Amino acid sequence: MPKVGMEPVRRQQLIDATLESVAELGLQATTINSISKRAGLSSGIISHYFGGKQGLIEATVRYLLNSLKYSLLDKTYGGCSAEQRLMYIVEANFAMVQQQSNTTRTWLSFWAQSMHDNELHRLQHVNSRRLQSNLAVSLAAFMPRAEAKEAAELAAGMIDGLWLRAVLSKADHHAFHHSETLAKRYIQSLIKQFGG
Amino acid sequence: MPKVGMEPVRRQQLIDATLESVAELGLQATTINSISKRAGLSSGIISHYFGGKQGLIEATVRYLLNSLKYSLLDKTYGGCSAEQRLMYIVEANFAMVQQQSNTTRTWLSFWAQSMHDNELHRLQHVNSRRLQSNLAVSLAAFMPRAEAKEAAELAAGMIDGLWLRAVLSKADHHAFHHSETLAKRYIQSLIKQFGG
DNA sequence: TTTTATTAATTGACCGTTCAATTAAAATAA
DNA sequence: TTATTTTAATTGAACGGTCAATTAATAAAA
């Protein structure tokens, strides 16, 4: 059965299967069987590649966070205006909807779990700070640094809050897009307060 | 062993123990044993009073939602200005911090679970709509109804978002209070935009 | 042959639920 | 009052099921 050099392929297969399972059943009901079955592999393979269920969960979160990180880097590659970059930040944070398998509820599961898992909390914290930092850098083009910092705090809250409420209400694609638009408009109003 | 009329006492004991267990271990790791042990009762009693673990979980969420609802009703009892009521709404939604046992992370657990549990989702949805509706009613004192509705959507997002980010970062009491202040200031800025 | 990749079977721990047995309070009868 | 019966409250052991992890076996590649 074994071909050589399967490791990266199998790892991604298992991460994808984990995303599917968590989206469908929730983190609570996701087991190594529900994952391996979706991946078309045996359950033992999880321990082989990730050391256990916990390792696979954490690798999956790292994969999600990297996807978010690089989707923003891709959009801003080659440079853009500060305002355009702010809109890209909002888009990136709302984009996880149309991704394969409802990734949105998966984020929620991981966040809740991060309250009781140190490694998950570390990852979540890095991500949360990155959003705020990205916003602060771009907002600094329109206002003094101190004001930009506080505006970034508000903007990050608005983005996460509108996103959360859309997820929790099981919003359809249209309602989700509406929330994205509100978040963008709010950031533009922050800029205008400083004559941007 | 039994005195008569124990039912309401036992129900509350079990609900309190559930809050403690979920706050400490997470919903994932909370079992009928972790609950009944904390309550100082046997595991069987859960099925006797709540029909099973699921019933107890749902009763606990209903208890939390009612606490939130009545804490606002108490504050506004006897009437107050529209602006004061808006501040009370923010306070009520941030107040769950200093409650006994960290109720904040418990809310997070239940929200995540509501993505995969119909009854929990129903309860969450009612609560989410109530926040937005409460905000819209009070904001309508300062602006036309249509604008109040959209402002309420933004305000609800800001409250939930700032609250979420404070919880996820395991903020201390001080940082939590800072987020509460930001939310209040934002709502006041919404009012000022209409010359309130 | 040795190494790498993978499976399938097994293990032991733990889950929620059920239910027969037990206890003590309350109600009734003497 | 005292004795007896009934009922509400509660326990905890037993059960069937499922979990993550481990192990040994297997198959292909080097």
Side-chain angles (χ1 to χ4, degrees):
Chain A
M1 293 154 195
K3 265 181 286 192
V4 98
M6 281 286 94
E7 180 163 339
V9 177
R10 294 290 178 249
R11 290 180 77 97
Q12 192 57 49
Q13 272 184 313
L14 289 168
I15 286 172
D16 289 341
T18 304
L19 288 173
E20 282 175 36
S21 176
V22 176
E24 205 170 315
L25 310 173
L27 189 54
Q28 176 116 275
T30 287
T31 68
I32 55 170
N33 276 315
S34 74
I35 295 169
S36 57
K37 199 168 182 179
R38 262 157 252 258
L41 298 166
S42 80
S43 65
I45 205 76
I46 289 174
S47 289
H48 181 249
Y49 281 124
F50 294 96
K53 186 193 182 186
Q54 182 73 1
L56 174 53
I57 297 291
E58 285 169 11
T60 304
V61 173
R62 255 179 251 116
Y63 170 76
L64 274 186
L65 295 176
N66 271 328
S67 300
L68 177 58
K69 180 177 165 184
Y70 287 116
S71 86
L72 177 61
L73 286 176
D74 281 357
K75 288 187 183 194
T76 59
Y77 181 80
C80 61
S81 74
E83 180 170 352
Q84 185 61 62
R85 183 158 178 274
L86 286 165
M87 299 302 109
Y88 282 150
I89 292 173
V90 175
E91 283 173 22
N93 276 272
F94 274 86
M96 304 164 287
V97 193
Q98 60 251 35
Q99 210 160 352
Q100 83 277 19
S101 72
N102 249 352
T103 318
T104 51
R105 47 179 68 180
T106 306
W107 282 88
L108 245 195
S109 282
F110 290 145
W111 283 358
Q113 189 62 17
S114 78
M115 293 285 92
H116 309 279
D117 179 320
N118 284 337
E119 175 63 7
L120 250 46
H121 184 257
R122 222 202 80 242
L123 294 171
Q124 183 281 324
H125 196 245
V126 170
N127 187 247
S128 175
R129 295 295 289 268
R130 178 160 47 224
L131 171 58
Q132 201 164 321
S133 161
N134 281 336
L135 289 167
V137 167
S138 290
L139 285 167
F142 304 98
M143 57 192 83
R145 196 157 298 272
E147 278 83 353
K149 224 183 137 190
E150 182 168 312
E153 208 176 341
L154 289 167
M158 185 66 93
I159 290 170
D160 282 354
L162 289 174
W163 180 89
L164 174 70
R165 291 178 68 85
V167 172
L168 283 179
S169 71
K170 296 189 178 176
D172 58 20
H173 188 270
H174 180 267
F176 229 91
H177 186 263
H178 171 69
S179 292
E180 181 181 325
T181 303
L182 285 184
K184 285 183 175 178
R185 287 224 303 261
Y186 172 65
I187 289 179
Q188 279 158 344
S189 83
L190 280 174
I191 296 173
K192 278 203 190 99
Q193 281 173 23
F194 287 83
Chain B
M1 296 154 195
K3 267 181 287 192
V4 100
M6 280 287 97
E7 179 162 342
V9 177
R10 293 290 178 247
R11 290 180 77 97
Q12 192 57 48
Q13 271 185 313
L14 289 168
I15 285 172
D16 289 341
T18 304
L19 287 173
E20 281 174 36
S21 176
V22 175
E24 204 169 317
L25 311 173
L27 189 55
Q28 177 115 278
T30 287
T31 68
I32 55 167
N33 278 315
S34 75
I35 296 170
S36 56
K37 199 168 182 180
R38 261 158 251 258
L41 298 166
S42 80
S43 63
I45 205 77
I46 290 174
S47 289
H48 180 251
Y49 281 124
F50 294 96
K53 186 191 180 186
Q54 181 73 3
L56 174 53
I57 298 292
E58 285 168 11
T60 303
V61 173
R62 254 180 250 117
Y63 170 75
L64 275 186
L65 294 177
N66 272 329
S67 300
L68 177 58
K69 180 178 166 185
Y70 288 115
S71 86
L72 178 61
L73 286 176
D74 281 356
K75 288 187 185 196
T76 59
Y77 180 81
C80 61
S81 74
E83 180 170 353
Q84 185 61 63
R85 184 160 178 273
L86 286 165
M87 299 303 108
Y88 282 151
I89 292 173
V90 175
E91 283 172 21
N93 275 272
F94 273 87
M96 305 164 286
V97 193
Q98 59 251 36
Q99 210 159 353
Q100 82 278 21
S101 71
N102 246 351
T103 319
T104 50
R105 48 179 68 181
T106 306
W107 282 89
L108 244 194
S109 281
F110 290 145
W111 283 358
Q113 189 61 17
S114 78
M115 294 284 92
H116 310 280
D117 178 320
N118 285 337
E119 176 63 6
L120 249 45
H121 185 258
R122 221 202 80 245
L123 293 172
Q124 182 283 323
H125 196 246
V126 169
N127 187 246
S128 174
R129 293 296 289 269
R130 178 161 44 223
L131 171 59
Q132 200 165 321
S133 162
N134 281 336
L135 290 167
V137 167
S138 290
L139 285 167
F142 304 97
M143 56 193 83
R145 198 156 295 276
E147 277 83 354
K149 225 183 135 189
E150 182 167 313
E153 208 175 341
L154 289 166
M158 186 65 92
I159 291 170
D160 282 354
L162 290 175
W163 180 89
L164 174 70
R165 292 179 67 84
V167 173
L168 284 179
S169 71
K170 298 189 178 178
D172 59 20
H173 187 268
H174 181 266
F176 229 90
H177 186 261
H178 172 69
S179 292
E180 182 181 324
T181 304
L182 285 184
K184 285 183 176 178
R185 288 225 301 261
Y186 173 63
I187 289 180
Q188 279 159 344
S189 82
L190 279 174
I191 296 174
K192 280 205 189 97
Q193 282 173 23
F194 286 85

